[in-house]
């Protein structure tokens, strides 16, 4: 899928480091599938737990279910998710927080799903908990080292979350699952699991068409701000 660049592209803080990360992620996406080096996208999404104040109306023939506008907040939690775009393999979890320990435990389970992989190439944002050092803060050194050796992190640039293909999954999750009210973390976890399991069973993959060449053309004005010689990549009509 080609991102809506006019809506999602951030024109602030564009520099050489930004463009390097941008192209590194796009180049990674362009590589053919390799079971020994799977490309997996990871991210986290905060969610509110909401309950009804007034019970809604159940669906009836030719009539949709209805819910009252009033709701009650029951706190918040976080969805941690990973998806392998080229195969549709997924891992979704709902946790109370998104700490270093949550991040570490999630990646332990993700690594266990790829026992034959030499390196799991993980696309993720540069949140302060998303570092290999988090493993050492949460695990004994030898165990942390073994886990760190299983991963190769590829960070998206700051304000460049649109580059993470898992955002396509989160968009579908929001429309198809998260719009309903759920007062407890357990209910959200169960329905999120059912949603992701069904999506994986259907083999839903995340298509991506935006390449390095596209970036240099479509975002040429940004490239020129960093280096005027990049004008040569601009589209010609």
């Amino acid at each position: 899928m080609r991102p809506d660049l006019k809506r999602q592209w951030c024109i602030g803080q564009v520099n050489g480091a930004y463009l390097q990360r941008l192209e590194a992620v796009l180049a990674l996406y362009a590589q053919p599938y390799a079971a020994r080096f799977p490309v997996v996208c990871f991210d986290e999404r905060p969610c509110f737990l909401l309950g009804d104040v007034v019970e809604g109306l159940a669906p009836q023939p030719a009539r949709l279910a209805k819910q009252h506008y009033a709701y009650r907040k029951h706190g918040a939690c976080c969805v941690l998710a990973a998806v392998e775009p080229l195969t549709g393999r997924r891992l979704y979890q709902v946790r109370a927080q998104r700490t270093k320990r949550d991040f570490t435990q999630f990646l332990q389970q993700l690594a266990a799903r790829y026992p034959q992989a030499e390196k799991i190439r993980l696309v993720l944002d540069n949140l302060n908990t998303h570092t290999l050092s988090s493993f050492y803060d949460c695990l004994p050194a030898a165990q942390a080292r073994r886990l760190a050796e299983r991963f190769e992190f590829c960070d998206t640039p700051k304000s460049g979350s649109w580059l993470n293909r898992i955002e396509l999954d989160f968009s579908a999750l929001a429309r198809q699952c998260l719009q309903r009210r759920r007062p407890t973390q357990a209910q959200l976890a169960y329905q999120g699991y059912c949603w992701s399991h069904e999506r994986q069973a259907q083999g839903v993959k995340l298509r991506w068409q935006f390449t390095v060449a596209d970036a240099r053309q479509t975002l040429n004005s940004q490239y020129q701000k960093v280096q005027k010689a990049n004008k040569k990549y601009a589209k010609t009509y």
Side-chain angles (χ1 to χ4, degrees):
M1 181 176 290
R2 191 184 184 101
D4 182 352
L5 296 171
K6 290 184 179 180
R7 179 172 58 86
Q8 300 190 54
W9 169 248
C10 176
I11 61 175
Q13 302 298 321
V14 176
N15 52 29
Y18 194 113
L19 297 181
Q20 182 274 322
R21 287 188 176 185
L22 172 103
E23 293 201 353
V25 173
L26 295 179
L28 185 62
Y29 288 161
Q31 295 183 19
Y33 174 74
R36 292 167 55 199
F37 300 95
V39 175
V40 180
C41 297
F42 167 84
D43 205 358
E44 304 166 345
R45 187 188 193 282
C47 298
F48 290 108
L49 299 173
L50 305 175
D52 290 319
V53 175
V54 179
E55 186 176 354
L57 300 178
Q60 298 180 7
R63 182 179 298 177
L64 298 175
K66 296 182 180 180
Q67 64 181 15
H68 196 269
Y69 67 87
Y71 61 85
R72 181 178 290 110
K73 290 184 178 180
H74 295 271
C77 58
C78 186
V79 176
L80 279 68
V83 57
E84 187 180 359
L86 295 182
T87 65
R89 295 179 67 179
R90 287 169 171 81
L91 176 61
Y92 270 74
Q93 291 183 359
V94 175
R95 291 175 173 261
Q97 297 176 301
R98 48 176 180 174
T99 64
K100 291 182 178 181
R101 186 166 300 279
D102 293 299
F103 176 69
T104 299
Q105 291 174 350
F106 184 90
L107 290 199
Q108 283 181 298
Q109 296 184 41
L110 181 63
R113 293 201 169 194
Y114 292 88
Q116 306 304 321
E118 293 184 24
K119 286 280 187 182
I120 301 171
R121 297 177 291 184
L122 195 69
V123 178
L124 70 174
D125 62 28
N126 54 2
L127 190 67
N128 61 348
T129 59
H130 295 172
T131 63
L132 297 177
S133 64
S134 292
F135 302 162
Y136 286 84
D137 290 332
C138 303
L139 301 171
Q143 189 176 353
R145 181 61 182 172
R146 286 194 299 270
L147 183 60
E149 289 177 341
R150 296 296 315 282
F151 289 94
E152 176 185 323
F153 285 1
C154 185
D155 296 338
T156 59
K158 186 177 180 179
S159 301
S161 61
W162 60 271
L163 279 166
N164 196 330
R165 291 162 83 170
I166 201 171
E167 294 297 333
L168 302 174
D169 234 32
F170 276 163
S171 177
L173 176 68
R175 295 192 311 271
Q176 300 171 8
C177 185
L178 298 182
Q179 288 184 345
R180 301 173 221 152
R181 295 174 186 168
R182 296 169 185 81
T184 69
Q185 182 177 324
Q187 288 177 316
L188 178 61
Y190 174 73
Q191 294 187 19
Y193 167 80
C194 292
W195 178 87
S196 62
H197 183 74
E198 180 181 5
R199 197 165 173 85
Q200 179 167 306
Q202 293 173 348
V204 178
K205 303 176 183 179
L206 303 181
R207 300 180 182 274
W208 188 270
Q209 300 175 352
F210 196 62
T211 65
V212 170
D214 292 329
R216 292 176 181 176
Q217 290 183 350
T218 307
L219 309 175
N220 190 256
S221 62
Q222 307 303 322
Y223 274 79
Q224 288 187 54
K225 287 181 181 179
V226 176
Q227 173 54 253
K228 292 182 179 180
N230 286 326
K231 184 177 180 180
K232 65 182 180 180
Y233 299 118
K235 288 183 178 180
T236 56
Y237 298 94

